[in-house]
Amino acid sequence: MRDRNLIQIGAMEIRLLIDEDQSAGSLVMFEFTVPPQARVPAAHYHRDVDEVIYGLSGTMTTTLDGRKHEIAPGKTLFIPRGYVHTHENLHGETAKALITMTPGLIGRRYFEEMALAINVQGKPDIEHVKAIMRLYGLVPA
């Protein structure tokens, strides 16, 4: 049986814990799993959403406004709306973080659309990916 809350986008996994429908749009919370040496997503900022990252295992590197932050287990980082950021795993161990975004404007529908655009044969259409991002208030940097 397929886990409806697990969304695979390329090599990374999103496991939704609270989606926009469950919270009536107040927040979205998910586990974010990134394999070693992966960079996801493209540098961007959120027009209307604040984000908090809490490290669960491994170490994720988040670049926020040009400064790198190592998010190890127990570490947190607040990303205010409007600040350019990107996530990557520069280490040899899979990284997992808990992500909370409020309000819940970037959730299940966004991740499912991104999975359809990214999980294709050959290279994804980057302009289509950027259009999906913009539709949900993520502005490519």
Side-chain angles (χ1 to χ4, degrees):
M1 186 165 123
R2 183 181 165 283
D3 181 352
R4 171 174 140 66
N5 292 321
L6 181 65
I7 301 169
Q8 187 88 31
I9 303 175
M12 72 175 183
E13 291 182 351
I14 305 289
R15 182 177 303 280
L16 289 162
L17 303 173
I18 300 174
D19 70 21
E20 62 273 30
D21 294 335
Q22 293 169 305
S23 72
S26 296
L27 69 88
V28 169
M29 180 184 289
F30 58 92
E31 287 180 355
F32 184 43
T33 303
V34 182
Q37 306 305 316
R39 178 178 179 198
V40 290
H44 66 282
Y45 66 88
H46 303 162
R47 204 173 40 234
D48 304 307
V49 173
D50 296 320
E51 180 174 352
V52 176
I53 303 170
Y54 175 78
L56 296 172
S57 63
T59 302
M60 190 169 323
T61 303
T62 297
T63 302
L64 172 61
D65 210 23
R67 184 168 167 236
K68 290 190 182 294
H69 300 266
E70 295 291 310
I71 312 299
K75 299 291 183 185
T76 59
L77 180 65
F78 173 65
I79 303 172
R81 63 191 77 189
Y83 281 73
V84 174
H85 61 284
T86 190
H87 310 288
E88 56 193 326
N89 182 350
L90 302 173
H91 305 280
E93 173 185 358
T94 297
K96 186 181 285 192
L98 180 68
I99 309 284
T100 303
M101 293 191 282
T102 186
L105 303 175
I106 304 167
R108 179 182 306 277
R109 287 177 283 283
Y110 168 74
F111 294 120
E112 288 174 344
E113 285 189 46
M114 288 300 284
L116 288 173
I118 298 291
N119 301 340
V120 296
Q121 290 253 235
K123 290 190 172 200
D125 178 347
I126 297 304
E127 290 310 311
H128 178 61
V129 169
K130 288 179 179 179
I132 295 169
M133 291 174 72
R134 286 189 290 274
L135 181 65
Y136 288 88
L138 289 86
V139 181

